[in-house]
Amino acid sequence: VPDPTDPLAAGLRAAVGDAHVLADPELRAGYETDWTGRFTGTARFVVRPADTAEVAAAVRACAAHGAAVIPQGGNTGMVGGGVPRPDGARPQVVLSLTRLDALGAVDPVTAQVDAGAGATLAALQAHAAAAGLDAGLDFGARDSATLGGIVAADAGGARALRHGTARAHVAGLEAVLADGAVVSRRNGLLKDNAGYDVPALLVGSEGTLGVVTAVRWRLVPRLPARVAALVPLPSVERAVALLGVLRSRLPALEAADFFLAAGLQLLLEHQRIAAPVAAAPVYVLLECADRADPTAELAGALEAAGIEDAVVADDTASRERLWRLREGHAEAIAAAGVPHKLDVGVPAARLAEFLARVPETVAAVAPRARTILFGHLGDGNVHVNVLGAEPGDDRVDEAVLRLAADVGGTISAEHGVGIAKARWLGLVRGEAEIAAMAAVKRALDPAAVLNPGVLLP
Amino acid sequence: VPDPTDPLAAGLRAAVGDAHVLADPELRAGYETDWTGRFTGTARFVVRPADTAEVAAAVRACAAHGAAVIPQGGNTGMVGGGVPRPDGARPQVVLSLTRLDALGAVDPVTAQVDAGAGATLAALQAHAAAAGLDAGLDFGARDSATLGGIVAADAGGARALRHGTARAHVAGLEAVLADGAVVSRRNGLLKDNAGYDVPALLVGSEGTLGVVTAVRWRLVPRLPARVAALVPLPSVERAVALLGVLRSRLPALEAADFFLAAGLQLLLEHQRIAAPVAAAPVYVLLECADRADPTAELAGALEAAGIEDAVVADDTASRERLWRLREGHAEAIAAAGVPHKLDVGVPAARLAEFLARVPETVAAVAPRARTILFGHLGDGNVHVNVLGAEPGDDRVDEAVLRLAADVGGTISAEHGVGIAKARWLGLVRGEAEIAAMAAVKRALDPAAVLNPGVLLP
């Protein structure tokens, strides 16, 4: 029960109502630890505002009473950016956006929809499908991940290959700034260059510059004819070469993910199923979508690339079975321990080199660890999972991130920087650029109210 | 000849070499007035750096000696943002980027290319075509407009309907900040969310936060089979309805522009040609592009929309003839006088209302003026040209911009705010958002070295 003389508690209760200020440790617990179990901290309160005005009031209350605001969506983040800091000196307030889950009517002329920050990706997908359109974004955590978090991280997923990351879908935003002011730009115009693109700055800012409260989402045409294929390949080089062929011959290509033998083995054991494909070092999972059935087009492209043993799935159930092999990696890994999860991106030309060097790089600092590698072949986004290293041993993270930077890549592709990687931002961003970021942060949030410790070193 | 004791002159000569510091009024003249003739000012010097290092040195020299930097590309801007301010209190230095016109090799894997800020759009288009790709952006000033200016304004053009504005093509940027520091992010990764997206902030910032020196441009597949059609229509409502049909039935649709009877008449007289189409109040110019000939698809869609009298152009020469009717508007208008040119955007649902109200709105403040309206039907971007009003009479501008805001639109769609519209930014951006913009500007350019007076009120 909040101390009735605590002015922060009083301010928050006035902002969102007594029933939505959670102080009881048991009620708070689900908001204080991320789903991997790696990041955790203690929140003074968890608040659950109902709308933008309540978000603004809650932010003002925190600012007035020296508390840090930790915005949280579906708590599916991977970098500790949505849970309290373990070392927070100030009181921390988790601001859960899940009640802002309204979805507006789809505008058929612009193919856009207004969505609350707390709406899940799955809810948006269903809503779009009912209007004959598609969200254009998809990933495994679709049932929990919310649009506010997706925008704050600039999430990507498998279909970014065709449709871009979340950024490409943001036709407008509403957000609460650090002083509680509301900015809103949701006219939905494709061209609107009046002044700095504040929404573009907020996308990917991980809740450090503003709290996203609503998004105007740009949908894409629904392409109902889908086919997937799982392709076993002898090497990463062959996988990259295959992608080159498919890019030029297969306009219907929507996703091209990959995983390796070790990951598939772990998953098969976890799910207690048999391998649906011939054994190989590398597997590429393709998905095509078009207005008319793209199966023949896919078969032709695979033949042109010299592929003979692909498993093709042209109905929904078998497509979903193939995708569970890829998406199930995260769960199979979590069941095996608390992993270090590193989301990096590398140029296609150096992907094979990077993947080959990861195991030795990790072994140099954590000899008994094992690495599970999978990701998005089409955009060079690799999810490096390290099992068997001490959860607190940052040498593993640093070694992998340095390797990504060494091959001309990035330390964060689609998960964000969070608290997990802030200290290594300098591996891929120059001093001048980091100084510019810090100047922008100070300008918009001089008291560091919003998500302190996240993103910037 | 620069005064040898002038420290600004000495600093600039040291930065870019004596030969590229222009002080002679005759040499400066072409850089001091915009092409419409409406905006003009006096530059102390025009400097023409050869590369990024020289740009940085020139910016540092200006910052050190209290001069304002006016970045300039092809000087095709419409809002006075690329020429000296008429009322500049400090010395003004035009920083011409046209010598930074290098085009790198096209990367076939990512379909990206590194381009200098001074490369023209036409040069990029030719370069992309030679690699079997397409720039994905096009507009009338292609032979002069440079990529740096295009990015600084977030230019759009007719094909934004399909490919997005310049923003959608920026895979990376290099820029010089107000203190002369260089920021560069050009790894070309589709997913790279490590820190704030500083490039995204610079796009559309009109040279007020940084000087763009190079762009990594995302190309699109080349669609060689093209067909255009000019459709005479009885009303704007019918044009908007036609667009709705085409959007759902014609995936090959790349552009849908419009002009009106008065504009066509002016153009026909200026070009001394006969009308190539039946007389009508409204004309819609469509372009389709695909891998295979889209003519039958276009014809089917037009038939479904009940259109019988379209002029179809399926060869390059006749397509270009149709597009000259649309693109020639600017020149025909310029030949008739010094226009007020207002680039606004309005939602499709209110386009007819807006176009109908413009003449009366202008007449209320300039009874003898005439309005020529044309633009991009597909994205609601209207170019309002007012002839016969006093060039300095801002009431015309204000009346049109207020009308655009009244119907839920924007005061700037693709030309930018410049000095022409800065005072009216508040019509479409809230106080909190403008305050945030001003805070970002102060944070990155505290001494207001870069393009003062542009964009912010």
Side-chain angles (χ1 to χ4, degrees), chain A residues 192-277:
Chain A
D192 182 4
N193 65 1
Y196 304 150
D197 196 339
V198 172
L201 176 62
L202 292 174
V203 176
S205 67
E206 303 187 28
T208 64
L209 300 179
V211 180
V212 173
T213 48
V215 186
R216 191 166 173 90
W217 193 267
R218 185 176 286 131
L219 303 167
V220 299
R222 185 146 185 260
L223 300 171
R226 293 187 167 269
V227 59
L230 183 60
V231 186
L233 288 162
S235 69
V236 176
E237 287 84 350
R238 282 291 304 277
V240 172
L242 169 63
L243 182 69
V245 174
L246 298 182
R247 268 186 191 279
S248 60
R249 294 185 60 113
L250 194 57
L253 185 65
E254 180 139 319
D257 276 22
F258 78 95
F259 46 87
L260 306 182
L264 180 61
Q265 187 58 35
L266 186 73
L267 177 134
L268 296 175
E269 287 165 12
H270 177 70
Q271 295 190 359
R272 299 169 189 273
I273 56 171
V277 65

Side-chain angles (χ1 to χ4, degrees), chain B residues 102 119 130 173 241 246 266 280 305 406 419:
Chain B
L173 275 190
L246 298 181
L266 187 74
D406 279 353
I419 60 166

